[in-house]
Amino acid sequence: GQQLNQSPQSMFIQEGEDVSMNCTSSSIFNTWLWYKQDPGEGPVLLIALYKAGELTSNGRLTAQFGITRKDSFLNISASIPSDVGIYFCAGSKAAGNKLTFGGGTRVLVKP
Amino acid sequence: DVKVTQSSRYLVKRTGEKVFLECVQDMDHENMFWYRQDPGLGLRLIYFSYDVKMKEKGDIPEGYSVSREKKERFSLILESASTNQTSMYLCASSGTSGILQETQYFGPGTRLLVL
């Protein structure tokens, strides 16, 4: 089925750093969503984007819906230890339609 | 708050066994979904349902079936479990109205090990 390409697959963060991850597709999506999954839990919605070019923030998180509608990125500013987890992008082609998920970006703390 | 619950957090079954995974949501959502999560592959949709007694195949339905007899409950069935079905299974639900209708709310997951 349709896949979203999410990168990087994993990254190490040091407290206070800004980090970025992105998601790309060969086809257009009308909605982009970013989820975070803590260990042993289900994914939780962080940010939803509904318009091309839209830039939305949720605390230290900022996400953008690409102009071409084929990509999105998520930034985390001033990272803290509890930011570790797996971040997933997801896209929807139409209202009420099923979501397509990226492979996830695993965020780890630098030893 | 939306609550999606799954019947088991961990499950160990033997090859060939019939396995039932149950999911219940308390938000009167019309849509319910079953995914499996494997490292590096993200979440892959197995089956989904837009209404009671209605089901549609997702991207990887082979080896699975589902049942939706009541609006709040969506069951995933492994007719004859195999080792390649060892995975994390996630249930989700979403509504059909309002700006957040694409937003899916997830349960905590069931980690299934098939021996």
Side-chain angles (χ1 to χ4, degrees):
Chain A
Q2 174 75 49
Q3 279 282 310
L4 296 182
N5 300 308
Q6 192 170 344
S7 66
Q9 287 190 341
S10 62
M11 62 166 59
F12 286 90
I13 60 170
Q14 195 152 35
E15 191 166 353
E17 278 183 343
D18 295 346
V19 299
S20 292
M21 60 195 78
N22 65 67
C23 205
T24 60
S25 171
S26 57
S27 61
I28 288 172
F29 286 90
N30 293 321
T31 302
W32 285 90
L33 304 169
W34 285 94
Y35 286 84
K36 183 194 177 197
Q37 184 180 31
D38 290 323
E41 301 296 329
V44 173
L45 182 69
L46 298 173
I47 292 178
L49 302 158
Y50 299 100
K51 292 181 186 176
E54 180 181 354
L55 188 70
T56 297
S57 293
N58 177 6
R60 294 177 296 104
L61 305 175
T62 301
Q64 184 156 30
F65 190 145
I67 291 291
T68 64
R69 293 193 284 157
K70 293 182 179 180
D71 61 350
S72 177
F73 73 75
L74 176 71
N75 282 347
I76 306 172
S77 62
S79 55
I80 60 177
S82 61
D83 288 334
V84 301
I86 305 176
Y87 292 78
F88 290 102
C89 62
S92 170
K93 290 183 180 290
N97 206 341
K98 57 184 182 176
L99 295 177
T100 300
F101 282 83
T105 294
R106 185 179 294 270
V107 174
L108 304 155
V109 176
K110 272 184 191 171
Chain B
D1 281 350
V2 175
K3 195 162 179 73
V4 180
T5 56
Q6 295 183 228
S7 51
S8 305
R9 294 299 295 265
Y10 300 95
L11 215 48
V12 180
K13 295 292 180 181
R14 295 200 177 276
T15 300
E17 278 193 77
K18 191 168 186 176
V19 182
F20 292 88
L21 302 182
E22 306 283 341
C23 175
V24 177
Q25 50 94 5
D26 67 357
M27 281 302 293
D28 200 35
H29 280 167
E30 289 80 6
N31 309 322
M32 296 189 75
F33 307 82
W34 274 106
Y35 296 88
R36 64 178 282 176
Q37 180 181 8
D38 301 288
L41 297 178
L43 278 64
R44 293 180 293 166
L45 183 63
I46 304 171
Y47 267 97
F48 60 105
S49 169
Y50 285 144
D51 203 351
V52 175
K53 296 194 185 294
M54 176 272 174
K55 59 186 178 184
E56 286 198 33
K57 292 180 180 179
D59 298 320
I60 52 164
E62 296 78 19
Y64 304 95
S65 62
V66 290
S67 172
R68 189 144 181 225
E69 296 296 319
K70 293 185 178 181
K71 189 176 185 180
E72 67 271 18
R73 188 179 298 269
F74 193 33
S75 303
L76 179 69
I77 303 152
L78 287 65
E79 294 289 342
S80 177
S82 62
T83 54
N84 62 14
Q85 292 180 308
T86 291
S87 186
M88 168 75 107
Y89 289 88
L90 290 162
C91 174
S93 72
S94 69
T96 56
S97 60
I99 197 169
L100 292 179
Q101 61 180 289
E102 288 88 1
T103 302
Q104 292 183 16
Y105 298 88
F106 285 85
T110 296
R111 192 168 290 282
L112 172 67
L113 172 62
V114 183
L115 299 173

